Amino acid sequence: MNTDFSQFGRTPCSHPQARAWVEQTAALTSPDRIFWCDGSEAEKEALYAEAVRTGVLIQLNQEKLPGCYYHRSNPNDVARVEQCTYICSEAEVDAGPTNNWAEPKAMRAKLLDLATGSMKGRTMYVVPYLMGPHGSPLAKVGVEITDSIYVVLNMRIMARMGQIAWDHLGDCPEFNRGLHCLLDLNPERRFICHFPENNEIISVGSGYGGNALLGKKCLALRIASALGRKEGWMAEHMLIMGVESPSGDKSFVAAAFPSQCGKTNFAMLVPPAEFKGWKVWTVGDDIAWMKPGPDGRLWAINPEAGFFGVAPGTNAKTNPNAMKTIQRDTIYTNVALKPDGTVWWEGHDDPAPAECLDWQGRPWTPESKEKAAHANSRFTAPMANNPMLAPEANDPAGVPIDAIIFGGRRPNTVPLVFQAFNWSHGVFLGATMGSETTAAAAGAVGQVRRDPMAMLPFCGYNMGRYFRHWLDMRKAIKYPPRIFNVNWFRKDTDGKFLWPGFGQNMRVLQWVVGRCRGRAGAHETPLGWVPRYDDFNTEGLDGLTPETFEKLQAMNADEWRREILQQDELFMRLYQFLPKELIFQRELLVARL
Ligand code: GTP
Ligand code: SPV
Ligand code: MN
């Protein structure tokens, strides 16, 4: 195959506005060369060859992991950085109390100054991409200009990249403009900035995940959430899954869990053996765009085309479908590299290797004190590799959502599962969600903070208005999804998880789907509807005694008093913008307790 890099990327797009913007950006950043990505297979081979030649990627063992590559980030650049992330709306109030705000003119000037001449001696890649199935009325086109070949190769997996985006755009002048410059990866010069009023993103100084793959968190959540509010739809940090029962009916569930709180695992769930005839299909594992359909239901698409999943803890028992998905055509970032050119991480099926290189390239043995893989190490894999990919994942119409689940990482207080009384109570559950912080973002890990709808780091506008938008959506949806709350992470007094999680989450899912279809019983508590022991499928799960179930579902009044005070902290910050319904919901909860 021809992998002569100079032969590729030579054809500029014919879209006049995109071309003018690229030329203008090149005049500013002064690259040696402009590379126009077309998304073809031949181009892909040339890009991988170039990435290997320049040391950005290491080719893995092609017999064991065909099409797989390995990347190490700069050690100071391994997670999202919320303190460097800005919403640059004209008015500060539009960013709201939970976002960093910067005045757009001044911030743009500062960023363009940093970008000036920054691509000298480098290649500037133009990455056209489509978020969503081709032909979907919800799909959106973005163009990312980047000087990182790692970003290009990841975007090529995570989005529908290349000619397909230009085809979708046609002669529409409107597309998302994303400029990404690595600079010198100095955290002092790291800014991830969103200009929702201009449909524009400028990100400098980071090459990692959500900071640099601009289609993902920047466009598909921050920009899209602001757009959705204006246009009457929702952009959410949610997985989407299809649940097929033995009788063949298929329900669709969307679930919002904060970063590193189980979306990918839940989306790829394999039911335990006792669940004969049940199948779970993946539509998406991180982001959902949802809009009311003409039939009065809420329809959702997954705007992405790949999985940027957490590696540690992934194995054939916890997530067999992920393990199958990442055997080929996958980029591994910040995991450990074994001498045979394969990879390893904490929680892998294979035992710890006698020797390997850790995520920073240092020799590692099982005696080493530090972990071999970074806690936020990731795989980037095409969704087409998933053996349980739902056929609907490529359907331009999307899927109708029957249930929405909110969940966080809570060692105490929050039961395994309960159901909201109605939509506005469900919005209250989402709005008051708390979760322990994780390694997906730089900073302390394991501290409970409020993370409404798992969108705290991703809502591109004022969070109070976001709650209003959620409440208002009810009027546009004749048959609203039922809303639930889950917590896989409750611990006993010894600090051990009370619930086995992973595939066993099917038991919760069966109850959720059963509730939506009028098949499952429940009883009313101050928190919401909960399953009784007999409403819950415990067959084959040794140890799920009525006593354990009681512990999982327990509601402790002292814990809940503290919980409500913590919820109040966020409500106070947002007070000026907080919809009255949520204040009423809080009062009702206090009264019920
Ligand atoms: P992002 O990609 O950061 O948005 O994360 P995510 O929400 O997709 O989380 P993911 O499924 O990758 O899981 C994150 C971590 O939680 C992994 O280390 C998993 O092993 C662990 N985890 C996922 N599901 C469960 C569960 O049901 N129980 C327990 N105990 N751990 C889980
Ligand atoms: C998350 O942090 O929620 C992720 C990873 O899905 S990143 O793409 O880095 O945002
Ligand atoms: Mn995520």
Side-chain angles (χ1 to χ4, degrees), residues 80 209-210 216-217 237 259 286 308 378 440 458:
R80 283 183 295 100
K216 196 173 176 58
K217 295 312 195 329
H237 192 198
S259 302
D286 200 48
F308 185 59
R378 302 245 168 190
F458 307 118

Side-chain angles (χ1 to χ4, degrees), residues 230-524:
K230 267 191 261 159
E231 299 175 354
W233 54 281
M234 311 162 89
E236 300 298 335
H237 192 198
M238 290 180 179
L239 67 94
I240 310 168
M241 72 206 310
V243 187
E244 191 178 323
S245 81
S247 50
D249 55 59
K250 220 170 181 181
S251 311
F252 291 95
V253 174
F257 310 156
S259 302
Q260 289 216 357
C261 291
K263 288 182 300 301
T264 302
N265 279 273
F266 195 45
M268 295 187 174
L269 184 154
V270 176
E274 303 83 56
F275 284 73
K276 279 196 191 64
W278 287 86
K279 287 196 184 109
V280 172
W281 302 88
T282 313
V283 180
D285 81 324
D286 200 48
I287 298 176
W289 286 355
M290 309 195 285
K291 190 181 182 167
D295 63 350
R297 305 176 74 184
L298 184 63
W299 288 74
I301 64 163
N302 167 17
E304 302 192 279
F307 308 118
F308 185 59
V310 178
T314 307
N315 62 52
K317 276 185 232 78
T318 55
N319 195 344
N321 284 334
M323 290 307 286
K324 286 177 192 148
T325 302
I326 63 179
Q327 294 312 304
R328 56 199 157 88
D329 313 317
T330 296
I331 300 172
Y332 291 93
T333 300
N334 300 336
V335 298
L337 180 60
K338 297 211 287 187
D340 68 346
T342 62
V343 288
W344 189 82
W345 47 79
E346 280 71 21
H348 195 282
D349 294 294
D350 298 342
E355 51 169 18
C356 66
L357 296 177
D358 75 0
W359 65 277
Q360 299 188 64
R362 303 172 303 192
W364 185 95
T365 68
E367 280 73 50
S368 300
K369 282 193 191 67
E370 288 177 57
K371 293 198 160 147
H374 188 273
N376 193 35
S377 54
R378 302 245 168 190
F379 52 76
T380 319
M383 69 176 185
N385 282 7
N386 178 356
M388 290 308 285
L389 182 72
E392 294 89 348
N394 289 302
D395 188 337
V399 297
I401 299 298
D402 298 288
I404 289 175
I405 305 180
F406 295 117
R409 198 179 264 276
R410 295 300 299 269
N412 48 47
T413 315
V414 182
L416 177 64
V417 61
F418 58 100
Q419 181 184 0
F421 295 119
N422 51 46
W423 181 266
S424 48
H425 181 228
V427 174
F428 175 77
L429 296 182
T432 53
M433 246 170 82
S435 194
E436 289 183 339
T437 49
T438 65
V445 167
Q447 286 169 2
V448 172
R449 67 167 183 184
R450 293 302 118 185
D451 190 350
M453 282 87 171
M455 283 289 276
L456 180 72
F458 307 118
C459 183
Y461 62 100
N462 187 310
M463 187 63 83
R465 294 181 185 153
Y466 169 76
F467 295 161
R468 173 86 267 150
H469 182 49
W470 261 88
L471 291 163
D472 285 347
M473 285 303 294
R474 173 66 184 88
K475 296 168 202 142
I477 314 167
K478 189 163 176 206
Y479 306 106
R482 306 287 195 269
I483 300 181
F484 299 81
N485 200 96
V486 302
N487 176 25
W488 311 146
F489 300 95
R490 198 167 196 176
K491 290 179 175 168
D492 62 17
T493 39
D494 306 332
K496 283 209 295 284
F497 288 121
L498 276 166
W499 176 247
F502 302 103
Q504 300 298 340
N505 294 334
M506 183 65 216
R507 297 173 194 275
V508 173
L509 194 55
Q510 185 187 21
W511 184 75
V512 163
V513 169
R515 290 296 293 163
C516 297
R517 294 185 171 263
R519 292 196 286 241
H523 86 118
E524 196 183 326

Side-chain angles (χ1 to χ4, degrees), residues 428 471 571 574-590:
F428 175 77
L471 291 163
F571 275 19
L574 293 173
Y575 196 79
Q576 199 186 340
F577 315 100
L578 202 63
K580 278 212 180 58
E581 289 92 321
L582 296 186
I583 298 168
F584 296 153
Q585 285 293 342
R586 180 211 180 269
E587 290 305 306
L588 286 170
L589 173 61
V590 172

Side-chain angles (χ1 to χ4, degrees), residues 161-180:
M161 193 268 259
Q163 187 56 41
I164 187 173
W166 299 126
D167 292 347
H168 187 95
L169 191 59
D171 54 14
C172 169
E174 176 69 10
F175 59 93
N176 180 270
R177 292 157 197 236
L179 171 58
H180 172 245

Side-chain angles (χ1 to χ4, degrees), residues 5 35 47 50 123-127 144-147 149 152:
F5 194 61
F35 187 108
L47 285 166
E50 177 69 4
T123 300
M124 180 176 111
Y125 298 89
V126 181
V127 183
E144 177 165 353
I145 294 177
T146 177
D147 57 352
I149 195 169
V152 176

